[in-house]
Amino acid sequence: MRALAALTRPWRRSQRELREHLKTLFRANNVDCVVDVGAHRGKFYRLLREDLAFAGPVVSVEPIAELAAELEKRARREAGWRIRRCGEVDEHHGVVLRGSPKPCRVLIERRF
């Protein structure tokens, strides 16, 4: 399975530009799996399935427990969608990711 990690700033692109950008990336790199880090409420997942017709597996990583629980409920009805919780929310430091050799803190931004 080949996966591509591509950083994109969706707030700087129109939806149409983002769709075309992702289609080009996926085609050029034979992407057949997507890891969505910071899945929030699943907006990117919907874009993959509905706008790009992406049929491969999607792993959505969400550190905020309430959001991860919401995604897990929805993912039960979706083939090929897996949710992974990683991290704990620290109200002073953002998200502290588990499993890294050194503490890793990520700023919480609740807008996509």
Side-chain angles (χ1 to χ4, degrees), residues 21-40:
H21 172 70
L22 290 173
K23 284 179 186 178
T24 300
L25 277 175
F26 286 20
R27 249 190 322 268
N29 294 283
N30 298 315
V31 173
D32 62 1
C33 176
V34 172
V35 178
D36 176 16
V37 178
H40 197 245

Side-chain angles (χ1 to χ4, degrees), residues 69-88:
E70 180 183 315
L71 292 171
E72 287 167 346
K73 286 179 189 173
R74 290 179 40 215
R76 287 185 197 120
R77 298 183 304 265
E78 303 276 343
W81 190 17
R82 301 291 176 259
I83 309 303
R84 297 291 177 257
R85 297 180 186 215
C86 85
E88 298 166 11

Side-chain angles (χ1 to χ4, degrees), residues 36-50 58-78 81-84 108-112:
D36 176 16
V37 178
H40 197 245
R41 297 198 187 287
K43 185 176 180 178
F44 188 68
Y45 174 80
R46 286 192 313 272
L47 178 130
L48 290 170
R49 294 294 195 231
E50 296 169 9
V58 177
V59 178
S60 293
V61 179
E62 178 53 55
I64 300 173
E66 297 83 19
L67 295 175
E70 180 183 315
L71 292 171
E72 287 167 346
K73 286 179 189 173
R74 290 179 40 215
R76 287 185 197 120
R77 298 183 304 265
E78 303 276 343
W81 190 17
R82 301 291 176 259
I83 309 303
R84 297 291 177 257
I108 299 172
E109 178 58 50
R110 296 193 181 265
R111 288 179 294 148
F112 176 66

Side-chain angles (χ1 to χ4, degrees), residues 83-98:
I83 309 303
R84 297 291 177 257
R85 297 180 186 215
C86 85
E88 298 166 11
V89 176
D90 176 323
E91 100 180 37
H92 300 291
H93 299 104
V95 176
V96 180
L97 298 178
R98 292 188 303 255

